[in-house]
Amino acid sequence: MNDRGDAIAGLAARHRQLLALLVLNPNIALHRDKLTGLLWNGRPTISAPRNLTTYVAQVRRRLSPRDPGLSPVRTVKGGYLLSVRPGSVDVAEFNQWAAQGRIARENGDYHNAARLLENALRLWRGDALLDVRQIDGLRVWAERLDEDRRAVTEDLFDVRLALGHHREIVGGLAQWATRHPLRERPHRQLMLALHRSGRTHDASASYQRLRRTLVDRLGTEPSPDTQALHQRILTGDALNAFPARGHTTPRGVTPSAN
């Protein structure tokens, strides 16, 4: 948005990449050398410092066309800073809603937890930083943000299971588990929702599909938590079981660095 509240269209790729780097580090000074290193993927050209100055000036004019001097992109010693009000960056807002939702869940306030987690997920309109992932540093950020979104989605499934909404979420869980075949947590949630819905055979079949996928793709068996839930389902002892909290990184995937 510019200073009149209008969406800024037609930003060039470098402008979007520069803005993304600044927005992901709000109110933090980024040194010129760091910015050029990030924008040029660690291989800045001889003209990179001069080009960076040009990009910053162009972004300032786009953000504040009436007076670029009032742009939130500030020059600081050795670099640049994006000055923003607290809570004005959607990543920070998402993290705040998610944290509050998890606190409510831990306190057993499931109705409030569901509302807060839904507020967090409502901020999303697609994959994070979709058009700027050519930058290695932004791709790492994007992968971490996407993982945060997946974890919060699964937190919400946990909360809805705790509220007894197992029949209502079976369809959504089945789709989610299909989209993420190596994530055991949603498969455990699906198994539990199916079992609680009186579909124990389908729950066991879901476990077997997960096991075949893990064995075929990774050469490994499901985790002890998943196997234990399957056994409890087979013995009819899982109606009151609650999925293990926290998210499990898909096997073979290294979590993104901060």
Side-chain angles (χ1 to χ4, degrees):
M1 302 285 185
N2 60 23
D3 58 356
R4 296 191 299 270
D6 301 321
I8 301 172
L11 286 172
R14 282 293 193 218
H15 297 153
R16 295 196 302 274
Q17 293 160 3
L18 174 60
L19 273 173
L21 289 168
L22 292 170
V23 169
L24 289 169
N25 296 275
N27 301 312
I28 297 174
L30 295 179
H31 196 276
R32 290 175 57 86
D33 291 344
K34 181 173 183 178
L35 280 172
T36 54
L38 289 168
L39 285 171
W40 277 267
N41 280 330
R43 299 177 296 276
T45 62
I46 294 176
S47 61
R50 182 174 67 253
N51 290 341
L52 175 62
T53 301
T54 300
Y55 298 146
V56 169
Q58 291 169 341
V59 166
R60 281 175 170 155
R61 286 197 296 270
R62 298 301 297 275
L63 291 177
S64 186
R66 289 181 293 186
D67 186 355
L70 297 178
S71 166
V73 179
R74 313 291 190 199
T75 299
V76 295
K77 185 177 181 180
Y80 303 99
L81 174 149
L82 181 70
S83 178
V84 296
R85 298 185 307 276
S88 61
V89 178
D90 55 3
V91 171
E93 188 177 359
F94 166 77
N95 288 333
Q96 183 177 11
W97 286 120
Q100 292 176 354
R102 285 165 171 159
I103 291 172
R105 181 193 63 180
E106 294 299 322
N107 291 333
D109 186 1
Y110 297 122
H111 288 286
N112 200 34
R115 179 183 63 82
L116 293 164
L117 295 173
E118 287 167 355
N119 286 345
L121 293 171
R122 206 170 285 128
L123 294 170
W124 287 78
R125 298 185 298 274
D127 292 339
L129 306 174
L130 189 59
D131 61 347
V132 294
R133 292 192 180 205
Q134 305 91 334
I135 301 299
D136 293 341
L138 290 174
R139 184 172 64 254
V140 170
W141 266 100
E143 290 169 353
R144 188 178 73 179
L145 290 170
D146 286 340
E147 175 58 26
D148 289 344
R149 179 191 189 183
R150 289 189 287 267
V152 171
T153 299
E154 292 163 12
D155 287 342
L156 180 58
F157 280 133
D158 268 357
V159 167
R160 297 198 66 190
L161 280 170
L163 288 169
H165 299 169
H166 36 272
R167 288 185 174 84
E168 295 90 335
I169 65 174
V170 162
L173 264 173
Q175 293 178 2
W176 188 257
T178 299
R179 285 175 56 189
H180 304 285
L182 301 181
R183 294 179 71 85
E184 293 192 38
R185 185 184 182 193
H187 285 83
R188 288 196 297 269
Q189 293 170 326
L190 176 60
M191 290 160 56
L192 194 54
L194 287 167
H195 178 59
R196 289 179 177 177
S197 300
R199 299 169 57 184
T200 300
H201 177 77
D202 291 335
S204 185
S206 178
Y207 171 81
Q208 296 301 336
R209 283 193 298 272
L210 169 65
R211 181 180 179 277
R212 286 194 298 271
T213 299
L214 293 175
V215 170
D216 291 346
R217 295 196 188 184
L218 303 177
T220 186
E221 293 284 337
S223 68
D225 283 345
T226 305
Q227 293 184 47
L229 177 61
H230 182 228
Q231 288 302 313
R232 293 186 67 182
I233 287 173
L234 293 178
T235 59
D237 189 32
L239 284 176
N240 296 318
F242 197 77
R245 292 177 180 174
H247 67 280
T248 301
T249 301
R251 298 185 186 196
V253 177
T254 301
S256 300
N258 197 343

